[in-house]
Amino acid sequence: MQAEIATPIPAVAAYRSPRARAIALLGPLTVAAGIVWAILQPYRLTLLHPHGQGFWWLAIEPPLLVIAAGAFFALVVARPLIADLEGSDGTA
């Protein structure tokens, strides 16, 4: 029976280089910027007042595109890039 509540994190997993941290923050910061943009300029979101607008006019809006780009970067681009940076010998 183990008395410890939490197990220690290995030093390799706990340490991230500043470059990897910066890359990991790019996606969430972009999503946050898109949300702030949508809050500060709600008239750009025609979903709030769709008077006779078609699907593409409602779906393709700049704040929504910024949010989607940030999410895409965080999920598809940053994860493999960070894994590659952490797996390299540190010379990159």
Side-chain angles (χ1 to χ4, degrees):
M1 188 166 142
Q2 225 176 5
E4 294 180 20
I5 294 175
T7 58
I9 298 173
V12 175
Y15 174 75
R16 271 199 173 166
S17 69
R19 185 182 298 170
R21 274 186 260 147
I23 291 171
L25 282 176
L26 283 175
L29 287 176
T30 305
V31 170
I35 292 171
V36 168
W37 185 12
I39 291 170
L40 292 177
Q41 295 181 339
Y43 56 86
R44 289 195 178 267
L45 294 175
T46 55
L47 289 172
L48 301 176
H49 45 85
H51 304 291
Q53 304 297 334
F55 170 75
W56 290 111
W57 187 265
L58 297 174
I60 305 300
E61 299 174 4
L64 298 180
L65 290 176
V66 169
I67 293 169
F72 178 81
F73 181 84
L75 297 174
V76 177
V77 177
R79 285 185 181 179
L81 186 58
I82 292 170
D84 186 44
L85 281 174
E86 290 176 348
S88 69
D89 58 347
T91 59

